[in-house]
Amino acid sequence: MSDEEHHFDSKADAGASKTFPQQAGTIRKNGHIVIKGRACKVVEVSTSKTGKHGHAKCHFVAIDIFNGKKLEDIVPSSHNCDVPHVTRTDYQLIDISEDGFVSLLTDNGNTKDDLRLPTDDALLSQIKDGFAEGKDLVVTVMSAMGEEQICALKDIGPKN
């Protein structure tokens, strides 16, 4: 055995996985699932009976949580599916830049400047109008599988 120290140059994160496995038969409506590499919210699940020699199959209809596209998948109910870790975080809105990015205040007092305004027109106009009126706005940011997007807005009153 050698006495030299091993040194690893790693650019990876702490190793937290973006998804976790879950048996297809246990995924329910309003749960989350990964279809074609996209994080989706399940809107419909139907299970077909086993054939003569087969597995029971689960048919998932889901909507991409970031772009709203409808995706479908059929998986044997005994097999594992990837389920994304979906988190929601509230940030206070500080500023909206000219190029469509928002400046947000995190819980620890730092700013987060890497998020674009949402593509949803109703939410976009609510944010812009509220900000123009000088209201204190809190946005909810949903993140899954390395993607983040503003998904909701709360008005916490006028700025003092």
Side-chain angles (χ1 to χ4, degrees):
M1 293 292 175
S2 65
D3 293 334
E4 62 191 63
E5 243 179 76
H6 293 285
H7 181 72
F8 297 102
D9 286 327
S10 176
K11 304 277 187 282
D13 55 8
S17 175
K18 293 178 168 76
T19 62
F20 61 94
Q22 186 175 340
Q23 193 171 341
T26 63
I27 296 172
R28 299 281 167 247
K29 186 177 174 181
N30 294 332
H32 291 93
I33 188 172
V34 176
I35 299 178
K36 296 183 181 133
R38 304 287 302 165
C40 301
K41 184 174 180 134
V42 178
V43 290
E44 191 183 321
V45 182
S46 55
T47 308
S48 64
K49 296 244 188 304
T50 56
K52 193 171 181 182
H53 303 290
H55 297 279
K57 298 227 179 0
C58 292
H59 177 239
F60 295 105
V61 178
I63 293 179
D64 190 312
I65 59 176
F66 294 116
N67 64 23
K69 285 195 178 130
K70 191 175 186 181
L71 296 165
E72 294 188 46
D73 202 6
I74 297 175
V75 186
S77 63
S78 57
H79 288 204
N80 280 347
C81 289
D82 282 335
V83 176
H85 291 285
V86 179
T87 56
R88 288 167 175 261
T89 318
D90 287 350
Y91 298 106
Q92 188 165 348
L93 180 66
I94 302 172
D95 192 23
I96 300 174
S97 65
E98 302 294 317
D99 56 0
F101 282 88
V102 291
S103 195
L104 304 172
L105 184 67
T106 62
D107 290 340
N108 59 12
N110 295 334
T111 59
K112 179 175 177 55
D113 302 310
D114 58 349
L115 261 164
R116 281 190 168 280
L117 280 165
T119 49
D120 177 32
D121 291 334
L123 189 58
L124 178 65
S125 61
Q126 277 183 310
I127 292 173
K128 282 189 168 174
D129 294 348
F131 185 72
E133 290 167 23
K135 290 181 181 168
D136 248 347
L137 300 176
V138 172
V139 294
T140 303
V141 175
M142 189 162 38
S143 58
M145 298 176 63
E147 266 188 84
E148 291 183 310
Q149 185 175 314
I150 296 172
C151 65
L153 172 71
K154 278 186 265 190
D155 181 1
I156 56 171
K159 284 187 180 167
N160 297 345

